[in-house]
């Protein structure tokens, strides 16, 4: 009878309730909100629409527009326009228990009988793996694997729903695939040196593909730098050669760096790079102490490096010197008169050097002849030159250049002599120190005097206030004593009585 009634209803939709549309399967991430849509038409007062969670022991969730009290879950609600038969199930903050099969149905009644009609949909909960997965690890025979050794690579993923797909790849090619755990066993070859094996994790629960990687073997090439000479002198060329050995699987290229800056064939005019060779065509003082690094690279990208610090002899140093005229006035000089100039060069190490000294002198902005003198004194040299007549402008020394060559036969610690003292400079220094001391003494005296004055003023003001206060207190005490005396009975009897008897 129920089947007949259902057939009649389906034959005449205007007579009984029917689905306008039913729920569709959905996939949702944990914590999101999902809406399972369901709508009916031709619903009569005797009919009702319900939702059922089949996976949870066929639990009924709703009746028409309300969630059953037995469900006791405020995350669930029925929404939609009842006038057009909408009974949509809304689940907020979706969690693991919400996963599974759902039914939207209705009950038809006739002559005391009832028929249940429903449609089903799956709700799939997407839970990504934990943040630190996938994780790659290696099981190896030795601490530093080498060609011929066997290693096992492991990739795992935990916490995802549905399960995570894992794939081991090498140079983009898939080696093996599995779910939640993937393994590969390798017998290492020279070509494996420096090669990364990548595990790729993907699946419906992952918005973006995740990766982890491991390098089973990483053997750096051996790099050494050799020089054409044991020692180098400023002004001479310097040639360095980079030797790369034990490069697996093979050697590819060499790169040169000076103080961390890469040097190529076109990046510098001061240096020349030709493969394994590094050349300084004309070494300069500024090259002394620079760090030169050679990096050897294999065909698989493994790098090894070596560095040296340049040490050059005969370093050229440019300093500004002090020129002191030994004559009273330059205006008194006559043509071809010889004057004595003193140029001072202070050695930073206070050691004795054999040096060559050169001074450029200018009068009327015109250079005089170059004066050269060799001296053993590390601090000063006396120079004589001819000064043209009619010199009304001051003598100017533009620059002093000193080439320093450290002594080879002298002991640096025992034979080092302190620099001679320049008498005129010492006198000036003593005068400056005396002036500074006098000024400091005067300032100290003024400060002390001012402080004493402030203290005296403060004390006088304090004494004045104390006297005024004491005077007021004394007068007040005297008034109190006089009042007490006049109120004394003896005073009244004696003085008052006497006055009355005398009257």
């Amino acid at each position: 009878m129920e089947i007949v009634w259902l057939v009649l209803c389906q034959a005449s939709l205007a007579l009984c309730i029917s689905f306008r549309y039913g729920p569709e399967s959905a996939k949702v991430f944990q914590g999101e909100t999902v809406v399972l849509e369901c709508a009916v038409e031709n619903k009569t007062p005797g009919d009702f629409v319900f939702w059922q969670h089949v996976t949870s022991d066929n639990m009924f969730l709703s009746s028409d527009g309300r969630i059953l009290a037995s469900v006791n879950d405020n995350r669930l609600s029925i929404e939609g326009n009842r006038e057009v038969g909408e009974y949509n199930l809304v689940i907020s903050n979706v969690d693991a228990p919400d996963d599974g099969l759902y039914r939207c149905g209705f009950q038809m009644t006739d002559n005391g009988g009832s028929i249940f009609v429903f449609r089903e949909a799956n709700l799939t909960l997407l839970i990504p793996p934990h943040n630190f997965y996938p994780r790659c690890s290696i099981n190896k025979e030795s601490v530093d694997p080498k060609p011929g050794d066997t290693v096992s690579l492991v990739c795992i993923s935990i916490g995802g729903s549905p399960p995570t797909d894992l794939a081991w790849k090498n140079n983009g090619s898939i080696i093996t695939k599995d779910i939640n755990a993937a393994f590969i066993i390798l017998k290492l070859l020279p070509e494996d040196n420096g090669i990364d094996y990548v595990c790729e994790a993907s699946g419906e629960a992952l918005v973006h593909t995740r990766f982890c990687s491991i390098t089973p073997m990483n053997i750096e090439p051996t790099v050494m730098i050799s020089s054409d000479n044991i020692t180098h002198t400023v002004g001479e060329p310097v040639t360095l050669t980079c030797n790369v050995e034990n490069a697996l699987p093979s050697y590819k290229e060499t790169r040169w760096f000076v103080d961390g800056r890469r040097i190529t064939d076109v990046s510098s005019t001061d240096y020349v790079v030709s493969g394994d060779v590094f050349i300084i065509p004309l070494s300069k003082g500024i090259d002394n102490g620079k760090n030169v690094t050679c990096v050897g690279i294999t065909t698989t990208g493994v790098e090894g490096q070596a560095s040296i610090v340049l040490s050059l002899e005969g370093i050229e140093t440019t300093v500004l010197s002090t020129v002191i005229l030994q004559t009273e006035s330059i205006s008194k000089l006559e043509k071809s008169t010889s004057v004595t100039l003193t140029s001072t060069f202070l050695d930073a190490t206070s050691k004795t050097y054999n040096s060559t000294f050169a001074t450029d002198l200018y009068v009327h902005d015109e250079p005089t002849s170059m004066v050269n003198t060799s001296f053993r004194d590390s601090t000063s040299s006396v120079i004589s030159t001819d000064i043209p007549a009619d010199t009304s402008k001051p003598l100017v020394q533009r620059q002093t250049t000193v080439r320093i060559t450290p002594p080879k036969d002298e002991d640096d610690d025992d034979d080092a002599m302190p620099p001679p003292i320049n008498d005129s400079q010492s006198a000036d220094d003593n005068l400056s120190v005396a002036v500074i001391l006098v000024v400091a003494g005067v300032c100290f005296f003024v400060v002390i005097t001012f402080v004493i004055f402030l203290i005296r003023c403060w004390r006088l003001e304090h004494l004045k206030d104390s006297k005024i206060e004491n005077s007021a207190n004394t007068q007040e005490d005297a008034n109190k004593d006089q009042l007490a005396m006049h109120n004394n009975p003896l005073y009244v009897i004696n003085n008052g009585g006497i006055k009355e008897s005398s009257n």
Side-chain angles (χ1 to χ4, degrees):
M1 182 65 182
E2 293 178 355
I3 298 176
V4 174
W5 176 251
L6 181 59
V7 172
L8 292 176
C9 286
Q10 292 177 346
S12 179
L13 295 179
L15 299 177
C16 56
I17 185 174
S18 62
F19 280 108
R20 187 151 56 93
Y21 54 80
E24 295 183 358
S25 296
K27 296 178 180 180
V28 61
F29 284 96
Q30 188 176 23
E32 294 183 346
T33 298
V34 64
V35 179
L36 300 177
E37 296 182 341
C38 183
V40 298
E41 53 188 2
N42 300 326
K43 182 176 178 297
T44 63
D47 304 327
F48 72 91
V49 178
F50 65 89
W51 276 96
Q52 182 183 17
H53 190 193
V54 180
T55 305
S56 299
D57 297 329
N58 294 318
M59 177 187 293
F60 281 92
L61 303 177
S62 67
S63 176
D64 284 342
R66 63 184 181 87
I67 299 295
L68 300 179
S70 59
V71 175
N72 192 25
D73 192 342
N74 56 11
R75 298 180 303 115
L76 307 182
S77 62
I78 304 297
E79 298 181 359
N81 188 350
R82 302 291 184 274
E83 294 181 359
V84 295
E86 293 178 350
Y87 296 88
N88 302 326
L89 175 63
V90 180
I91 308 175
S92 61
N93 194 22
V94 177
D95 205 351
D98 301 321
D99 186 269
L101 181 65
Y102 286 82
R103 287 176 179 170
C104 175
F106 53 81
Q107 180 187 28
M108 298 185 303
T109 59
D110 179 67
N111 297 327
S114 63
I115 300 176
F116 287 91
V117 181
F118 55 82
R119 290 184 180 181
E120 298 179 339
N122 273 306
L123 176 62
T124 303
L125 180 64
L126 303 179
I127 304 177
H130 297 311
N131 291 334
F132 45 86
Y133 287 103
R135 180 179 294 178
C136 295
S137 61
I138 181 173
N139 297 321
K140 50 191 178 181
E141 299 174 351
S142 61
V143 177
D144 298 315
K146 58 184 180 299
D149 290 349
T150 299
V151 298
S152 298
L153 305 184
V154 182
C155 179
I156 60 174
S157 179
I158 297 177
S161 178
T164 304
D165 296 324
L166 301 177
W168 275 108
K169 292 185 176 181
N170 180 17
N171 292 327
S173 301
I174 297 177
I175 301 175
T176 184
K177 296 179 65 176
D178 214 327
I179 296 175
N180 284 344
F183 307 86
I184 55 175
I185 299 176
L186 295 175
K187 186 173 183 179
L188 297 176
L189 302 173
E191 291 75 15
D192 291 319
N193 186 39
I195 295 298
D196 292 335
Y197 283 78
V198 179
C199 178
E200 181 181 282
S202 60
E204 291 180 321
L206 289 172
V207 178
H208 303 288
T209 303
R210 297 182 185 178
F211 303 90
C212 68
S213 65
I214 199 165
T215 307
M217 181 172 59
N218 188 30
I219 301 175
E220 296 181 358
T222 303
V223 180
M224 296 177 292
I225 297 178
S226 60
S227 176
D228 56 337
N229 292 317
I230 298 177
T231 60
H232 297 91
T233 304
V234 172
E236 297 179 352
V238 177
T239 302
L240 304 177
T241 303
C242 187
N243 304 296
V244 181
E245 300 177 356
N246 194 30
L248 295 177
S250 60
Y251 164 73
K252 180 182 179 181
E253 64 174 330
T254 299
R255 296 176 183 176
W256 290 94
F257 297 82
V258 175
D259 286 345
R261 180 173 64 93
R262 185 180 177 185
I263 307 300
T264 62
D265 295 337
V266 296
S267 65
S268 175
T269 58
D270 298 325
Y271 312 111
V272 176
V273 172
S274 179
D276 300 343
V277 180
F278 174 85
I279 301 173
I280 304 178
L282 181 62
S283 60
K284 302 176 183 178
I286 59 174
D287 294 322
N288 185 60
K290 288 192 174 180
N291 187 295
V292 180
T293 302
C294 167
V295 178
I297 306 175
T298 69
T299 52
T300 54
V302 181
E303 298 181 357
Q305 68 178 37
S307 299
I308 66 168
V309 178
L310 292 178
S311 179
L312 306 177
E313 295 182 351
I315 302 171
E316 182 181 281
T317 305
T318 300
V319 296
L320 294 180
S321 300
T322 303
V323 178
I324 303 175
L325 287 176
Q326 300 298 319
T327 58
E328 296 181 359
S329 174
I330 194 170
S331 62
K332 296 181 180 180
L333 298 178
E334 298 179 357
K335 185 175 183 180
S336 300
T337 298
S338 178
V339 297
T340 301
L341 307 179
T342 299
S343 181
T344 302
F345 167 68
L346 295 179
D347 180 9
T349 61
S350 298
K351 296 180 180 179
T352 302
Y353 293 105
N354 296 317
S355 307
T356 300
F357 192 93
T359 304
D360 295 332
L361 301 178
Y362 285 76
V363 177
H364 290 293
D365 294 331
E366 294 295 332
T368 66
S369 59
M370 177 71 71
V371 179
N372 294 308
T373 180
S374 297
F375 68 101
R376 189 174 179 78
D377 187 343
S378 66
T379 60
S380 64
S381 178
V382 178
I383 306 169
S384 297
T385 185
D386 291 336
I387 304 298
D390 192 21
T391 56
S392 58
K393 293 186 178 181
L395 182 65
V396 179
Q397 180 190 25
R398 292 304 177 96
Q399 182 173 287
T400 298
T401 301
V402 180
R403 181 180 297 278
I404 303 173
T405 304
K408 297 183 179 180
D409 299 329
E410 297 179 353
D411 183 76
D412 289 340
D413 296 330
D414 298 333
D415 297 339
M417 300 295 293
I421 299 176
N422 188 312
D423 293 337
S424 61
Q425 183 177 0
S426 176
D428 292 340
D429 293 341
N430 293 335
L431 180 59
S432 299
V433 172
V435 172
I436 292 174
L437 291 176
V438 171
V439 173
V442 172
C443 292
F444 179 78
F445 177 79
V446 171
V447 171
I448 293 299
T449 302
F450 183 73
V451 171
I452 294 174
F453 174 78
L454 292 178
I455 294 175
R456 289 177 61 87
C457 291
W458 177 82
R459 292 188 62 185
L460 290 175
E461 188 68 19
H462 180 71
L463 290 174
K464 182 178 179 181
D465 294 338
S466 298
K467 288 181 179 181
I468 294 173
E469 182 178 359
N470 292 335
S471 176
N473 292 335
T474 301
Q475 183 64 34
E476 182 178 359
D477 293 337
N479 293 336
K480 290 181 179 179
D481 293 340
Q482 186 175 5
L483 179 60
M485 183 180 66
H486 282 277
N487 291 332
N488 192 318
L490 295 177
Y491 178 86
V492 174
I493 292 173
N494 296 330
N495 291 281
I498 293 172
K499 290 180 179 180
E500 292 176 357
S501 62
S502 62
N503 292 332

